[in-house]
Amino acid sequence: MVAEAMSLSMESLTRAYRGRRVFVTGHTGFKGTWLSTLLHDLGAEVCGFALAPNTSPNHFDVLGLTNAMHSVIGNVDDLDHLRGTMAEFAPEIVFHLAAQPLVRQSYHDPVETFRSNVLGATHLLEAVRQTDSIRSLVFITSDKAYENVEWVWGYRETDRLGGQDPYSASKGAAEIVYSSYERSFFAHRPDLACAVARAGNVIGGGDWSADRIIPDCVRAIEAGEPIRLRNPNATRPWQHVLEPLSGYVLLGERLLNAPGQGKGAWNFGPSTHEVRTVKDVADAIIAHLGSGQVKIEQTEGQPHEAQLLQLNCDKAHQFLNWRPRWGVDKTLEATARWYAEFIKGADMQAVTRAQIAEYFEGSA
């Protein structure tokens, strides 16, 4: 019997998460800060474990999250620290996001990428194995874990994993480690349910990472410089950061309350007609912020980056009742609005929380 799908609203999610002890790795990163804020607003008690933010400004400090959660600065490379922090907090639910998240950085430092994304993931799984309080694990990887042959239809959860660049390969490898732990250890724990979540490119306010299109656009516009695009015609399935995060929290709840229906791998991505080129995105940000210009810089010898990658999300649609709420135009408008407010010196904690409420309480 299939459990009734939970409504994707702040009210229903609050009922599911209020008072729950939730552990988030990578809480200082772009997705981690949005997820931690969302969980806090849902009434969860949140503990984060991550490296210190590596950009200035950064969303973690802008939101003042140190005062809203248990924040532990640490490296998933350090198993003893991770395991001890998790044991002391005794979480019921774990979301694993910690990773080296950049494709181009993986070419510059492949060893660190594999250490963070494979060994770090192994340490997380080992810490979960040794923590009896955990009932639900959402192990987050990436759409780039698929062996991408750049066909026009979306990848399903059963398609082959792989990866040409070090980042993509590290995500595929992390999933192999996860599968081993799931079958060797977690399958024998009836009190623990776990699943893999894969999502594509996310954008939204609060991202200042290098080599990402939105931060690059904002930095160039603020500096009065041209926006320089390496791959202007590359297409991406753009989605707001809240889209996959809404899927993650739905999945975490399902694993907790109907574990047999939440296990396996799950895709969270936008509709296929929401695909835009990199240049389309840059042009939209310029239009919303009111200034800027694009300069194409196609140089020889650039490392390989995928030109086309889409996900098939039928499984999440059918079994979690999850669907994307914001199209690409709304996503770009909300993202540009966030940065415009930041540039004006607005209260960004209030702006971020207002966008969370707008996403969950707006029309689906």
Side-chain angles (χ1 to χ4, degrees):
M1 180 178 178
V2 177
E4 182 179 351
M6 185 172 63
S7 170
L8 190 58
S9 69
M10 291 296 283
E11 181 181 359
S12 63
L13 289 171
T14 297
R15 288 197 299 269
Y17 279 91
R18 182 187 289 120
R20 298 286 190 186
R21 297 173 68 82
V22 184
F23 193 90
V24 178
T25 68
H27 71 289
T28 61
F30 172 49
K31 289 173 74 174
T33 50
W34 279 91
L35 178 60
S36 298
T37 302
L38 171 60
L39 290 167
H40 176 269
D41 287 359
L42 296 177
E45 185 177 354
V46 186
C47 178
F49 186 95
L51 297 172
N54 62 358
T55 65
S56 181
N58 62 79
H59 203 212
F60 181 78
D61 290 336
V62 165
L63 294 182
L65 279 175
T66 299
N67 300 319
M69 63 185 294
H70 306 277
S71 175
V72 177
I73 299 303
N75 194 326
V76 289
D77 282 357
D78 187 340
L79 175 58
D80 289 341
H81 190 195
L82 175 61
R83 181 171 48 199
T85 302
M86 189 178 289
E88 182 178 358
F89 183 68
E92 297 172 85
I93 305 170
V94 174
F95 293 95
H96 174 56
L97 286 80
Q100 190 296 98
L102 303 174
V103 172
R104 287 176 65 84
Q105 178 62 24
S106 78
Y107 282 105
H108 296 309
D109 197 345
V111 172
E112 180 57 34
T113 298
F114 282 107
R115 179 183 292 116
S116 296
N117 296 357
V118 184
L119 181 60
T122 306
H123 286 170
L124 178 282
L125 293 164
E126 179 62 14
V128 169
R129 185 176 76 87
Q130 297 186 35
T131 306
D132 293 337
S133 63
I134 298 170
R135 300 291 175 264
S136 170
L137 165 64
V138 180
F139 186 85
I140 295 151
T141 62
S142 169
D143 61 348
K144 294 177 180 63
Y146 290 107
E147 181 64 36
N148 185 13
V149 295
E150 303 202 17
W151 54 35
V152 296
W153 49 86
Y155 290 89
R156 296 180 183 274
E157 287 85 352
T158 53
D159 282 326
R160 185 159 60 99
L161 303 179
Q164 176 172 331
D165 59 86
Y167 170 78
S168 301
S170 74
K171 289 301 187 179
E175 291 220 21
I176 292 173
V177 176
Y178 166 85
S179 177
S180 173
Y181 264 80
E182 198 281 327
R183 291 182 289 174
S184 298
F185 306 114
F186 302 155
H188 307 299
R189 275 185 57 176
D191 59 334
L192 171 63
C194 51
V196 167
R198 303 168 186 151
N201 286 58
V202 295
I203 59 177
D207 188 7
W208 280 280
S209 300
D211 289 324
R212 286 209 221 261
I213 181 59
I214 300 295
D216 286 350
C217 287
V218 173
R219 280 189 288 262
I221 290 170
E222 283 192 284
E225 298 175 352
I227 299 168
R228 303 176 189 277
L229 303 180
R230 298 183 309 271
N231 297 296
N233 298 318
T235 60
R236 297 287 186 269
W238 309 100
Q239 61 182 334
H240 194 274
V241 63
L242 289 171
E243 300 281 21
L245 296 186
S246 68
Y248 301 165
V249 294
L250 279 176
L251 182 56
E253 182 277 338
R254 179 59 60 90
L255 290 168
L256 197 66
N257 294 317
Q261 298 168 20
K263 295 179 180 180
W266 300 82
N267 288 339
F268 299 101
S271 302
T272 55
H273 68 273
E274 299 294 349
V275 169
R276 297 288 190 277
T277 68
V278 170
K279 186 175 184 303
D280 289 338
V281 170
D283 288 340
I285 293 299
I286 289 171
H288 285 298
L289 291 182
S291 64
Q293 59 177 312
V294 170
K295 182 176 181 179
I296 309 301
E297 287 193 339
Q298 292 181 298
T299 57
E300 298 297 325
Q302 292 292 321
H304 171 269
E305 292 185 71
Q307 299 295 303
L308 178 65
L309 178 58
Q310 298 184 87
L311 296 178
N312 179 298
C313 302
D314 288 348
K315 181 181 177 183
H317 297 171
Q318 182 173 351
F319 295 106
L320 294 179
N321 197 28
W322 176 89
R323 283 175 176 75
R325 292 190 160 201
W326 285 358
V328 67
D329 293 334
K330 171 63 177 177
T331 291
L332 290 167
E333 181 275 327
T335 300
R337 177 159 36 97
W338 193 100
Y339 284 103
E341 291 296 311
F342 176 79
I343 292 168
K344 289 191 301 185
D347 178 349
M348 298 316 297
Q349 184 179 98
V351 171
T352 299
R353 289 200 156 100
Q355 290 202 345
I356 290 174
E358 181 183 1
Y359 175 84
F360 284 97
E361 302 308 330
S363 58

